Amino acid sequence: MKISKYTFFTILVAVLTLSSCNKFLDTKPVSYVSDDVTIFDLASSQSALRGVYRQLASTGYYGETYVTLGYFPSGDVKNLTTGGAANLVTVNFRADDLNFNTAWTAIYYTINRANNVITKVPSLVGPGFTQVQNDQIVGEAKFIRALAYFDIARAWGGAQIVLTPTTSIDALPQIKRSTLDQTFDQVEQDLNDAEALLPNTVNRIRATKRTVWALKARLYLYRKNWVKADEYATKIIEATDYELLKPFSSWFANDVVGTRESIFELAYSATNPSTIRQQMQHSTNGGTYRYAPTDKFVQLLNDPAVSGGRSALIGKVTQAGTTLWFGNLYYRKNSTDPAYVLRIAEQYLIRAEARAHLGLIAGATGGLADINAVRERADVAPLTLSTANDLLVAVESERRIEFAWEAHRWFDLARTGRAKTVLEAIDPNIKIDSHETVFPIPVTQLQLDKNLEQNAGY
């Protein structure tokens, strides 16, 4: 896979822009490092790795754009502004939509930074830079590269795979897109490598062996490897450092960070803020209020029998006698809300789905126990189900509520092939053609990179 000419120029412009922006002048190399900085010792390697994390958390990726690509076509979010987001809401995907290009570029920027670390750091073991330290840095970079390729794969289908850093246009490899399975193979290989390199410890903002297990469980769910999905989700569930917190809002309310609910979250600060909160919150809380839950979704979240304590995921304000609802997962006035990437509740629902496919429904080892654990934590009555199909439908519904603002809904419906059936029933304005379970390759990338081929149907 290669980084296109447009992506390379975007990276170059971004570096120059960031260097001239006051917001980032305060962000020394401890938080930001450009891709062309020489990596030559432990300190510069650690600085480069922090730069990989910073790009993962950037506005184009988990800081906003990629996440909203999961929000808008979910059937549960309405667009409150003019522009391309309206097409995303109705699943009228367009290759010229700037949102696709922004996310695509941000992800490849992340990959390039990870490649820089993965390529240069291994040879630096020596005095003052132990093998353990080296393994830690390379393992974390491999985890992030795996996550980035996974996110491309589930969004666009397959990726161009490049595993070395790109420093100039002349150095760009001439590579066509790999298939979805080939891209997932690369994700799995990076996760295997990271698992071997990283320690079996808990760190909720940095990758460890346990972070790898959680992403492996998600990967195997997407690959329909139910046995492996069950295995890796169980590894996390049986660890003693993660739990479903009560009340439900305990893992995000009152400005908490890094709770026992969280497996991996991205940290933000006043100098490196998240922009999701600004777009989600109403103007009375200093937001721009670009999108909001639909009326039907508000009803679900406010239904005690369906949502329970998860009603905390939305808030409201009344103006001129009209009640306006908004998402409330991201709410902090200084925009330092973490980006929640991997959470223990997902592992329970991954295992429930995997066990449904394996025919394990009831009892201590059945998927029903897992879904009921998630419901009990939210103060929702347990389900009584007897068939695999009923359990799968229940998991789908539970994921919809549990991860209301964690951008799983669209990808869940796309991977299970249920997007058309479910979303067209929710909103008559949504029409989904068979090719629209993956996003279009951005037209700008196609124009500047002749090795790229558009997804069929666009």
Side-chain angles (χ1 to χ4, degrees):
M1 172 169 293
K2 93 176 180 127
I3 298 176
S4 72
K5 294 181 179 179
Y6 176 81
T7 304
F8 179 79
F9 280 127
T10 302
I11 292 171
L12 180 60
V13 170
V15 170
L16 294 175
T17 301
L18 294 178
S19 67
S20 64
C21 177
N22 289 336
K23 181 171 76 171
F24 286 90
L25 284 176
D26 294 333
T27 310
K28 302 292 193 274
V30 68
S31 297
Y32 172 78
V33 62
S34 69
D35 295 335
D36 58 358
V37 170
T38 300
I39 300 175
F40 60 92
D41 62 1
L42 174 60
S44 59
S45 298
Q46 291 172 330
S47 181
L49 178 63
R50 286 191 284 270
V52 185
Y53 278 100
R54 179 56 53 206
Q55 180 55 35
L56 181 66
S58 68
T59 299
Y61 201 175
Y62 276 98
E64 183 186 344
T65 305
Y66 183 79
V67 177
T68 59
L69 289 179
Y71 288 169
F72 282 120
S74 68
D76 294 328
V77 175
K78 58 185 177 182
N79 172 49
L80 302 176
T81 63
T82 59
N87 288 323
L88 293 174
V89 168
T90 58
V91 196
N92 179 24
F93 297 150
R94 295 170 54 101
D96 61 354
D97 190 323
L98 181 62
N99 292 291
F100 292 130
N101 197 59
T102 298
W104 176 279
T105 302
I107 294 173
Y108 272 109
Y109 198 171
T110 304
I111 290 168
N112 199 52
R113 286 192 175 188
N115 285 342
N116 202 38
V117 172
I118 293 166
T119 300
K120 296 178 181 179
V121 170
S123 63
L124 299 180
V125 174
F129 197 174
T130 68
Q131 186 66 57
V132 171
Q133 292 169 321
N134 195 287
D135 288 349
Q136 176 81 39
I137 292 170
V138 175
E140 289 184 56
K142 288 213 168 190
F143 169 81
I144 294 173
R145 187 171 72 180
L147 177 60
Y149 276 127
F150 174 83
D151 284 337
I152 287 179
R154 67 172 174 169
W156 283 279
Q160 295 169 297
I161 299 176
V162 63
L163 304 178
T164 55
T166 299
T167 56
S168 71
I169 292 176
D170 292 337
L172 292 173
Q174 302 298 305
I175 300 174
K176 292 186 177 294
R177 291 175 68 200
S178 296
T179 65
L180 175 63
D181 278 341
Q182 289 168 338
T183 306
F184 278 156
D185 284 344
Q186 179 59 48
V187 173
E188 187 170 3
Q189 181 60 60
D190 274 343
L191 289 176
N192 287 340
D193 292 345
E195 187 175 12
L197 292 169
L198 292 171
N200 185 7
T201 57
V202 176
N203 190 325
R204 304 185 198 278
I205 61 171
R206 300 281 292 271
T208 71
K209 196 184 297 290
R210 298 184 186 189
T211 321
V212 172
W213 293 344
L215 185 55
K216 273 192 167 186
R218 185 188 290 176
L219 171 66
Y220 290 128
L221 184 77
Y222 274 72
R223 301 203 81 171
K224 297 180 171 57
N225 186 334
W226 315 123
V227 172
K228 287 289 188 180
D230 183 330
E231 175 188 345
Y232 279 92
T234 299
K235 282 177 176 286
I236 293 294
I237 293 169
E238 292 184 350
T240 60
D241 298 288
Y242 311 97
E243 64 176 306
L244 296 166
L245 298 177
K246 291 190 71 174
F248 174 81
S249 62
S250 298
W251 58 273
F252 68 90
N254 301 315
D255 294 338
V256 298
V257 295
T259 70
R260 292 175 62 84
E261 177 89 20
S262 197
I263 299 170
F264 180 57
E265 62 187 48
L266 297 173
Y268 293 87
S269 66
T271 54
N272 289 294
S274 166
T275 57
I276 296 179
R277 169 237 172 251
Q278 293 174 329
Q279 313 299 356
M280 177 179 289
Q281 283 289 324
H282 189 265
S283 59
T284 54
N285 195 31
T288 56
Y289 200 39
R290 284 184 53 214
Y291 50 80
T294 63
D295 293 344
K296 290 181 180 179
F297 199 41
V298 167
Q299 290 175 358
L300 282 177
L301 287 169
N302 281 328
D303 185 343
V306 174
S307 177
R310 291 174 291 201
S311 59
L313 291 169
I314 51 175
K316 66 180 178 179
V317 61
T318 301
Q319 293 183 322
T322 301
T323 299
L324 303 173
W325 293 89
F326 51 87
N328 209 34
L329 178 59
Y330 298 96
Y331 60 87
R332 303 168 207 222
K333 289 187 180 296
N334 59 2
S335 297
T336 58
D337 309 84
Y340 302 100
V341 183
L342 293 163
R343 192 158 59 83
I344 189 62
E346 182 191 3
Q347 301 300 307
Y348 278 92
L349 294 177
I350 285 174
R351 192 168 72 173
E353 186 172 338
R355 289 183 173 181
H357 283 287
L358 293 170
L360 302 172
I361 312 302
T365 60
L368 183 59
D370 286 330
I371 193 173
N372 280 336
V374 173
R375 290 171 64 85
E376 189 277 332
R377 176 278 285 279
D379 290 321
V380 180
L383 296 173
T384 54
L385 303 170
S386 59
T387 70
N389 186 66
D390 287 345
L391 181 55
L392 289 172
V393 172
V395 169
E396 180 184 283
S397 298
E398 206 66 31
R399 288 178 68 94
R400 178 187 184 185
I401 302 297
E402 180 73 23
F403 308 125
W405 300 110
E406 291 168 80
H408 287 290
R409 176 66 168 173
W410 164 254
F411 297 116
D412 283 342
L413 295 176
R415 70 177 169 82
T416 59
R418 283 180 44 80
K420 182 177 180 65
T421 299
V422 172
L423 296 181
E424 289 185 0
I426 291 175
D427 185 346
N429 294 314
I430 296 177
K431 301 297 178 186
I432 302 178
D433 292 329
S434 59
H435 66 277
E436 289 180 310
T437 55
V438 291
F439 297 148
I441 304 300
V443 66
T444 305
Q445 303 295 326
L446 294 170
Q447 292 171 342
L448 293 170
D449 185 355
K450 301 306 179 184
N451 292 289
L452 273 172
E453 296 179 357
Q454 184 57 276
N455 280 323
Y458 290 106

